[in-house]
Amino acid sequence: GINNATYKYHIDFAAANGLEFVILDEGWYKPLSPMEYVPEIDIAELCSYAAQKNIRLILWIGADLLIKDAEAICEKYSSLGVAGLKVDFFDHQDQRTVRQVYEIADIAQRYHLLVDLHGIYKPTGITRTYPNILNMEGVFGLETSKWTSADKCDMPLYDVTIPYIRMACGPMDYTPGAMRNAALRDFKAIYHRPMSQGTRAHQIAMYVVYDAPLSMLCDSPSDYMDDPQTTEFIASIPSVFESTEIVGGEVGKYIITKRKAAGVYYFGGMTNWDERDVEIDLSFLPEGQWEASIYRDGINADTAATDHIIETVDITGKTVLPVHMAPGGGFAIIIDRKY
């Protein structure tokens, strides 16, 4: 439920896994009144509890309500220690909406609040002026799997199309990380217990492939606690990189992305419903011994989409890594210097 006990549970999970933020989603404030909490929630208490664990809170809020009283709302929650706002239901991108976005961005930055824009609003270069805007939705994100059947939307196809199109204009809050994964024949749109189309490795690859300076873990803590190795792998991937290069792919078929941060290299690969074999050429690596942590589809991932393998192998610049992607599959690789 939406109450302090639940969010403390989320805060404990975030702290245990080295995550930075917890989002309080819809339902924490009274109807039409973001300045007042529902009786089960105390933002001041939650902020204090989170601060003890080096976690900060982000508050979901409807755009229309925020714009009516943005100054007071930002002042109040900034003073309590809230990190930022997830502002939802921007249902247009007309002149009025653009003015509202700039107004919200300006007020929020004066109170040192980050902003995650949701709804259909897409990047327009605003982050250059207001770098406190870390991410935007404007994408047919993973949450649509809760109510959209596979015959109406082919998500693996979409997943390997948007990096070439939507992501070209800026970051996108796709909200990846589904832990209930389904092959095409098994997928069903279930609102209260959603699943993803494609494999678990496909989901993990998104943390490398998709540009998202503020990146979500979309499922519940208990789902991640059931697979601590996967959770550790996700948490070890940064959300900001120094360089990005697309080293293989074709629009609507597959993509392989190479990124770098703090001397560590990251690869992410995803395919549509076609299984695919690829090779990762590591000749770019400087001399020395390196170690690759590989998250890939398991041998049965074509039928049991949760099946995955996590392995660590020694490599050098002379190594070529072969990787098989199951239908709707993918992989992620973290390469760090061994010595």
Side-chain angles (χ1 to χ4, degrees):
I2 299 171
N3 52 61
N4 271 24
T6 294
Y7 280 115
K8 286 180 179 179
Y9 181 80
H10 281 71
I11 290 165
D12 290 343
F13 167 77
N17 289 280
L19 308 177
E20 296 179 76
F21 304 105
V22 167
I23 289 182
L24 275 68
D25 217 314
E26 184 176 10
W28 63 269
Y29 57 79
K30 292 182 178 180
L32 305 179
S33 183
M35 295 289 282
E36 301 179 275
Y37 329 138
V38 296
E40 298 83 6
I41 289 286
D42 185 330
I43 299 298
E45 181 183 340
L46 288 175
C47 283
S48 176
Y49 184 82
Q52 296 171 29
K53 297 175 178 288
N54 201 30
I55 302 294
R56 299 191 69 195
L57 303 184
I58 298 171
L59 304 180
W60 181 96
I61 187 170
D64 286 347
L65 292 177
L66 175 61
I67 202 68
K68 288 178 182 177
D69 203 10
E71 188 84 31
I73 291 169
C74 289
E75 180 180 19
K76 174 176 181 173
Y77 293 112
S78 174
S79 69
L80 294 178
V82 167
L85 303 173
K86 178 177 178 178
V87 189
D88 208 349
F89 298 126
F90 285 107
D91 296 329
H92 308 277
Q93 199 154 351
D94 53 16
Q95 291 183 358
R96 174 178 175 270
T97 302
V98 171
R99 284 195 298 270
Q100 290 178 344
V101 167
Y102 272 81
E103 182 179 344
I104 288 169
D106 187 70
I107 294 172
Q109 65 87 21
R110 287 195 277 107
Y111 290 98
H112 307 287
L113 295 171
L114 65 85
V115 177
D116 179 16
L117 297 175
H118 264 238
I120 69 168
Y121 195 91
K122 291 171 283 294
T124 58
I126 189 174
T127 53
R128 188 176 178 89
T129 305
Y130 294 103
N132 59 313
I133 296 183
L134 296 190
N135 210 351
M136 302 182 189
E137 189 180 21
V139 69
F140 196 73
L142 186 64
E143 68 172 348
T144 55
S145 297
K146 296 190 291 186
W147 55 76
T148 307
S149 60
D151 63 318
K152 293 183 179 179
C153 186
D154 181 336
M155 293 304 286
L157 168 64
Y158 185 73
D159 296 341
V160 294
T161 302
I162 51 174
Y164 300 101
I165 301 174
R166 159 63 179 85
M167 203 173 76
C169 65
M172 55 187 194
D173 196 358
Y174 183 90
T175 62
M179 298 294 279
R180 288 178 297 279
N181 320 105
L184 180 58
R185 67 182 183 183
D186 298 325
F187 176 81
K188 292 180 177 61
I190 302 174
Y191 188 89
H192 66 279
R193 192 71 173 158
M195 65 187 76
S196 71
Q197 295 180 31
T199 71
R200 184 167 296 179
H202 185 94
Q203 291 289 310
I204 307 312
M206 293 177 181
Y207 289 97
V208 178
V209 175
Y210 291 168
D211 183 16
L214 181 67
S215 191
M216 289 283 295
L217 280 75
C218 70
D219 256 321
S220 67
S222 56
D223 291 317
Y224 295 108
M225 291 161 68
D226 284 342
D227 188 352
Q229 288 182 309
T230 291
T231 305
E232 182 180 355
F233 199 98
I234 294 172
S236 67
I237 300 173
S239 59
V240 178
F241 299 87
E242 300 158 12
S243 64
T244 298
E245 180 182 357
I246 307 303
V247 297
E250 187 175 345
V251 178
K253 293 186 177 181
Y254 75 105
I255 187 168
I256 303 173
T257 302
K258 169 191 168 189
R259 310 188 82 170
K260 182 182 180 183
V264 181
Y265 297 92
Y266 302 84
F267 282 86
M270 299 189 295
T271 184
N272 57 15
W273 285 117
D274 296 328
E275 62 179 332
R276 203 174 301 275
D277 290 288
V278 298
E279 292 185 338
I280 308 299
D281 183 354
L282 302 180
S283 59
F284 65 89
L285 287 174
E287 288 188 13
Q289 192 68 38
W290 295 75
E291 187 174 76
S293 298
I294 305 170
Y295 194 111
R296 59 182 176 85
D297 293 318
I299 193 171
N300 296 309
D302 58 333
T303 56
T306 57
D307 186 29
H308 64 277
I309 294 172
I310 305 174
E311 58 184 347
T312 301
V313 298
D314 291 338
I315 55 172
T316 69
K318 297 179 180 179
T319 303
V320 176
L321 286 174
V323 184
H324 176 75
M325 291 187 280
F331 66 89
I333 304 173
I334 302 173
I335 299 174
D336 200 356
R337 187 179 288 277
K338 189 171 184 180
Y339 53 81

